[in-house]
Amino acid sequence: MKYIGLNNKAVDAKDAVVSALDHGFLYGMGLFETFRTYGGEPFLLQRHLDRMAEGCRQLGIPFAPDVQQLREWIQLVMDKNELNEAYVRYTVTAGEDILGLPAGDYKQPNQLLYIKALPVLPDSLYSEGKELQLLHHRRNTPEGPVRLKSLHYMNNILAKRELAGYPSASRGAEGLMLTAAGDISEGIVSNIFFVADNRLYTPDITTGILPGITREMVLELAASAGLHPEQGFYRWEQLEAADEIFLTNSVQEIVPVTALWNGDRRITIGSGRCGERTDAILKLYRERAGRLE
């Protein structure tokens, strides 16, 4: 990543700096969105911006995105980094303010684009899937009514550190956090779904999970895959009994889970390969991505 986007420009990475008094640095007051391109175009960009705009409203950060201008800025930074397809992280920080906690709104936020090549994901990931490790570390409750994709990521990092201590981590496993009440919440960087009896289950937003953009799309596609979607409160034992499990995020799309780990106990899910329903959802999602809606 030679160039970083900073306030609608593309600057050399070593020159992309913000003030030490930026409240994104001092207090974690800022938000980010991660998404990928298909055919060079950012997918579901408007949905990502709508989520960010609502979060900025709650934090008192002025944010009125111009979608076309943002697309042009993304293209500029992609071109400077010589990329045809990209992983994009779009960040908005609160900007400079007093050393202390302000009661009013912020005035001059900073916007940054971190753009790099898409990770190379083997086709086997979508047929053989990955494993899911149950973590002791619990998902914290969100600071406000709904979890924001904020710059404060300590809970996820602590979970990642725990995951690194399990043998499954070397096999590429994702870590799963439960809530303080013991309900399934989400992965470290993913939302979770499971299939049982032709129903598609995913934790309710009130468990404190991030309302993922890919999660939202999967809920919309469920009926076309012959599944009735349901959001609620579920336990680990229901995952063990599931017909299929999959994870979602904007870069990896839909990834089947073919084994669960609880401590050193391994449970195979279904046939140990991507299930029929998961495959159908993945194909529908990629069809939608191809239409860039």
Side-chain angles (χ1 to χ4, degrees):
M1 186 164 49
K2 299 176 182 177
Y3 291 88
I4 289 175
L6 177 61
N7 296 329
N8 293 311
K9 298 178 181 178
V11 302
D12 193 290
K14 68 180 182 346
D15 298 322
V17 296
V18 296
S19 168
L21 292 175
D22 191 304
H23 276 208
F25 170 71
L26 284 174
Y27 303 114
M29 293 296 285
L31 302 169
F32 71 99
E33 293 287 333
T34 54
F35 45 90
R36 58 165 292 175
T37 63
Y38 291 87
E41 291 292 326
F43 184 48
L44 299 177
L45 181 58
Q46 187 62 60
R47 297 192 190 207
H48 283 282
L49 294 180
D50 289 345
R51 182 171 67 174
M52 178 173 275
E54 174 55 25
C56 284
R57 184 193 65 77
Q58 293 183 38
L59 298 180
I61 299 173
F63 181 70
D66 181 320
V67 177
Q68 184 56 38
Q69 184 181 64
L70 179 57
R71 287 181 183 276
E72 292 172 0
W73 185 27
I74 290 170
Q75 189 61 60
L76 170 65
V77 182
M78 285 178 62
D79 289 345
K80 294 289 283 187
N81 284 296
E82 300 179 340
L83 295 172
N84 295 317
E85 299 286 4
Y87 163 108
V88 182
R89 171 175 160 149
Y90 177 39
T91 301
V92 176
T93 76
E96 281 190 52
D97 212 304
I98 62 170
L99 183 59
L101 305 182
D105 290 348
Y106 292 98
K107 304 299 183 186
Q108 195 169 358
N110 286 303
Q111 298 188 29
L112 299 101
L113 281 176
Y114 303 90
I115 294 181
K116 64 180 183 180
L118 281 170
V120 179
L121 302 173
D123 290 341
S124 61
L125 177 64
Y126 300 97
S127 57
E128 300 173 15
K130 67 165 51 184
E131 299 175 339
L132 187 65
Q133 177 75 53
L134 178 62
L135 302 177
H136 294 292
H137 188 72
R138 298 300 172 107
R139 192 56 165 130
N140 63 343
T141 55
E143 292 85 353
V146 177
R147 185 173 303 282
L148 304 178
K149 200 171 179 70
S150 76
L151 302 186
H152 177 41
Y153 241 53
M154 188 182 296
N155 191 233
N156 302 65
I157 291 172
L158 291 174
K160 185 75 170 181
R161 289 173 62 83
E162 181 188 342
L163 176 63
Y166 292 102
S168 61
S170 64
R171 301 155 62 98
E174 165 70 312
L176 179 75
M177 292 178 281
L178 305 180
T179 68
D183 295 312
I184 297 164
S185 65
E186 60 187 346
I188 298 171
V189 293
S190 61
N191 289 126
I192 185 167
F193 289 81
F194 66 97
V195 178
D197 300 324
N198 290 325
R199 286 181 174 265
L200 181 64
Y201 300 94
T202 195
D204 192 85
I205 291 297
T206 56
T207 60
I209 64 172
L210 181 75
I213 300 301
T214 306
R215 173 186 181 274
E216 176 184 69
M217 178 61 70
V218 166
L219 288 171
E220 294 175 13
L221 295 172
S224 297
L227 292 166
H228 177 77
E230 179 181 302
Q231 302 177 60
F233 299 85
Y234 312 110
R235 311 296 281 193
W236 173 260
E237 292 75 19
Q238 290 172 270
L239 282 186
E240 292 187 353
D243 299 325
E244 301 178 35
I245 304 171
F246 62 86
L247 305 172
T248 63
N249 73 28
S250 292
V251 175
Q252 294 187 6
E253 305 171 318
I254 288 96
V255 177
V257 171
T258 49
L260 300 174
W261 285 92
N262 185 352
D264 59 0
R265 177 171 171 257
R266 185 180 187 275
I267 304 101
T268 299
I269 299 302
S271 66
R273 295 181 64 83
C274 179
E276 179 182 345
R277 302 296 195 184
T278 302
D279 186 58
I281 289 282
L282 177 59
K283 287 177 178 175
L284 288 166
Y285 183 84
R286 287 179 170 172
E287 286 174 8
R288 183 66 63 90
R291 291 198 297 267
L292 290 175
E293 295 181 359

